Amino acid sequence: LPVPVVGQDAKLAKKEADNQARLAIANAAARSLSLGETDDLNELIRWGKLLAASGMFNDVTGPAQAIVKVLYGRELGLSPMESLTGIYFFSNKLVLSAGTMAGLVKKSGKYDYRIKHLDNKRCELEFFQKSIRDGDVHLTSLGVSVFTMEDAQLAGIVKGANWLKYPRNMLFARALSNGFKWFCQDLAQGGAYVAGEIDGDGTPIDAEFIMDPR
């Protein structure tokens, strides 16, 4: 006979079941939008309500925000689920996750980047423009984006657990977003900031810009 789940185990089981149900709703809505790419307002509102009700996206407080994410992501070539998980609302602006920016660069077919240096004190990324000549891919350097822990400290943004636990990740995100703005702006459609890059007064925080690393 099956052993009945009681106490804490029952709570965990219910929580997991609830999470799975919410994820199923979100995935169903995203698949429908991805397949139909509907522009019908009533249809968008219907799916926006489902996405908001799923509870899977903590910055989505209502249908309108879910719809805005999906529509903006569509302009960037993202699927609805990529848009909902990789685009955020911050300080009344749309911002992209560092992973989303990196993905846009890599799959653009036009740009690429390489990590030249990355540790807990400094990140240096070199950005390239891609071209095809005689059937081969050629990379032309566009410049280097550098962000250091000193830059972060001067800007007053070294706060919160992430800067203490994952300094390399945070430095990479800043160096990437700066390079994205400087060299790949046509991919951004106006949303070239990562979450946390916009200060409390809405001012973007930039780092050192080196046009020619050689």
Side-chain angles (χ1 to χ4, degrees), residues 73-101:
R74 186 187 297 180
E75 294 183 13
L76 300 179
L78 302 175
S79 71
M81 191 56 69
E82 288 174 325
S83 302
L84 289 160
T85 57
I87 299 173
Y88 302 92
F89 295 102
F90 188 84
S91 191
N92 295 320
K93 296 180 184 293
L94 284 170
V95 297
L96 306 177
S97 71
T100 298
M101 287 187 183

Side-chain angles (χ1 to χ4, degrees), residues 9-142:
D9 289 342
K11 292 180 180 178
L12 291 174
K14 184 179 185 304
K15 183 177 180 180
E16 178 62 21
D18 289 343
N19 286 337
Q20 291 298 322
R22 293 191 186 100
L23 184 60
I25 292 172
N27 281 330
R31 283 197 301 270
S32 173
L33 280 173
S34 180
L35 291 172
E37 293 189 339
T38 179
D39 290 315
D40 180 80
L41 181 59
N42 290 329
E43 183 72 0
L44 286 170
I45 291 173
R46 185 169 73 88
W47 284 114
K49 289 178 179 178
L50 281 174
L51 290 166
S54 72
M56 297 300 296
F57 316 104
N58 57 13
D59 64 329
V60 173
T61 59
Q65 290 183 325
I67 294 168
V68 168
K69 278 193 175 193
V70 170
L71 292 179
Y72 175 54
R74 186 187 297 180
E75 294 183 13
L76 300 179
L78 302 175
S79 71
M81 191 56 69
E82 288 174 325
S83 302
L84 289 160
T85 57
I87 299 173
Y88 302 92
F89 295 102
F90 188 84
S91 191
N92 295 320
K93 296 180 184 293
L94 284 170
V95 297
L96 306 177
S97 71
T100 298
M101 287 187 183
L104 289 172
V105 172
K106 290 290 186 180
K107 72 180 183 180
S108 70
K110 183 178 180 181
Y111 301 107
D112 205 348
Y113 70 88
R114 297 287 186 272
I115 299 175
K116 295 174 67 69
H117 183 87
L118 178 60
D119 59 23
N120 289 339
K121 295 182 179 180
R122 182 172 180 270
C123 178
E124 180 178 347
L125 306 177
E126 185 170 11
F127 283 75
F128 302 89
Q129 186 160 358
K130 299 171 71 172
S131 61
I132 306 294
R133 296 197 301 269
D134 301 323
D136 296 324
V137 177
H138 294 265
L139 298 178
T140 302
S141 180
L142 296 172

